[in-house]
Amino acid sequence: MNTDQRLRMLKTVFMCLLAVSGLLFGIFGHRVIGVETSTNFKSRVVPVGASFPVTILCRQEDQVKGWELKIAYNPLILRANYVSEGNIFSQFATFFSPNVKISNGTITNIYSLIVGNGFAPKAGTFCTIWFTALHAGRSFITLYDVGVCNDTQYIENTVSTGFVYVMDW
């Protein structure tokens, strides 16, 4: 086995270990608000130059009328391109952040609320953020200042973090 074959095999094993660790961390413990970087996983491996979505999920236990959050990431590894509204309030008229601010490693002013009567009837996505992988390395996708509310007050929530590995292959 030559050096290139060994390197490819090592990368494949590494990606499999990441997938298994993401699955394990994603299914143990209750998460109300979380980062999903790929289908059912909290971690993802992408090549340099790739554009990919990161979804912010809500697995609620209470009636949700509105939400707000901020996101931090490593700007040396990732570039945030844009934020789109999720599906949690899809059956209602909503007011979604008209002034999302993307700056060096943070995304702020992300929020949505139902205009008029109603509550989110089930779990869903708050929003999706599209990133581009700039350089090889690892970046956490960290949620902070997260607020979820019903008609009258903020609801207690648990927040989880995701991460992206960018590979130069």
Side-chain angles (χ1 to χ4, degrees), residues 30-142:
H30 175 67
R31 302 281 190 258
V32 175
I33 318 268
V35 176
E36 186 173 88
T37 59
S38 61
T39 305
N40 295 319
F41 294 102
K42 290 176 48 176
S43 63
R44 181 177 199 156
V45 178
V46 297
V48 170
S51 289
F52 60 94
V54 170
T55 304
I56 309 304
L57 301 169
C58 177
R59 296 183 184 109
Q60 75 217 35
E61 296 177 351
D62 297 306
Q63 295 179 323
V64 175
K65 178 94 173 174
W67 58 268
E68 62 186 336
L69 58 86
K70 297 175 184 171
I71 299 171
Y73 60 94
N74 185 338
L76 300 175
I77 306 297
L78 303 175
R79 178 181 63 232
N81 300 315
Y82 64 93
V83 179
S84 61
E85 187 171 12
N87 67 8
I88 195 162
F89 299 147
S90 62
Q91 57 188 313
F92 301 99
T94 61
F95 184 75
F96 181 71
S97 321
N99 297 315
V100 172
K101 294 184 181 175
I102 299 174
S103 63
N104 193 26
T106 61
I107 307 172
T108 59
N109 287 350
I110 311 170
Y111 57 89
S112 185
L113 58 100
I114 295 173
V115 178
N117 295 325
F119 295 98
K122 59 180 177 28
T125 60
F126 281 163
C127 61
T128 299
I129 302 97
W130 284 86
F131 287 96
T132 299
L134 300 176
H135 301 285
R138 181 174 87 165
S139 176
F140 282 95
I141 309 293
T142 304

